[in-house]
Amino acid sequence: HFQPLVPWNEIKVDMLIMGVSGCGTTSLASNLESHPQVTVQRYPGWDDDEAPEDEFFSLRLGRRLLPTKRMVEEFEGGFGSGLRVIKNPMYLDMPWLHSIFVRIPGLKFAILVCDPWWLFARERVLLMEKDEDIYQVQEGRRQALQVRQFLSVLGPEHGKRLRLMHTEILASPNPSCYAPVLHFLGASSFSDRQVLPRWNVNNSGLSREQVAWVCAMVPQGAARDIQEDYGDLQRLLVE
């Protein structure tokens, strides 16, 4: 049967949260969902407290250039009333989707980044837990490079459509830490009495001793990448 297609400029979503897995995207999305003016997409049958990762632009869209009307209806049916938010940290590492995102009118982007040394250690600890060689990955993840690639797609609009945040701002239980991203989204600030937990805090499985031990064995190439990433991220966060 013929299925009508929907152009990207008719998709209605207000913010996409992405970044690096483990850097706080779940905390940001799940806590924003507790705001009365915000709705986070949920799938039918999803009953976990934490916000799910969006699959519409990856698994559901597949190789299609445009979504079908039915796909869009199912996607938009996952929202309640309010400003619409979706999250998937891996979208930052899917450049083929970036040109789609910028075609959605009014869509804003919140990108979370984290300590490059912690990220490097976390990835290697996860490899050890799977009984894999910790030297399997010889380079450090270049968060700043991924962000700059996305900025190049956004072009001159990046100042209006993008907020880059360090995950440390989510470590504080003070609701005022969320004020900048809420104002960016177009919502009011949280009440001073709002409780904002940190989600998935134990998923990293890292102690300070583990980070120090793993980083002591960093290959020279990875150490260079990590150090350069530090400098690039510092400049991006100030810009």
Side-chain angles (χ1 to χ4, degrees), residues 14 33 38 63 101 103 112 118 147 159 163-164 171 177 181 184 187 196 225:
D14 296 289
E33 187 176 26
V38 178
R63 295 180 178 273
F101 295 150
R103 288 180 169 86
L112 281 163
W118 176 88
V147 173
R163 284 296 180 274
L164 184 66
C177 294
V181 69
F184 173 60
L196 300 173
D225 288 344

Side-chain angles (χ1 to χ4, degrees), residues 130-184:
K130 298 177 182 178
D131 294 324
E132 297 180 20
D133 185 358
I134 65 171
Y135 298 106
Q136 178 177 323
V137 182
Q138 294 295 318
E139 297 181 353
R141 182 190 294 270
R142 302 297 294 273
Q143 297 176 86
L145 178 60
Q146 292 176 310
V147 173
R148 289 196 182 279
Q149 288 173 338
F150 185 66
L151 286 174
S152 68
V153 177
L154 269 181
E157 287 191 323
H158 72 266
K160 298 179 180 179
R161 300 185 67 180
L162 173 68
R163 284 296 180 274
L164 184 66
M165 301 179 293
H166 195 288
T167 187
E168 286 183 354
I169 69 170
L170 304 179
S172 171
N174 191 332
S176 65
C177 294
Y178 279 74
V181 69
L182 281 168
H183 294 167
F184 173 60

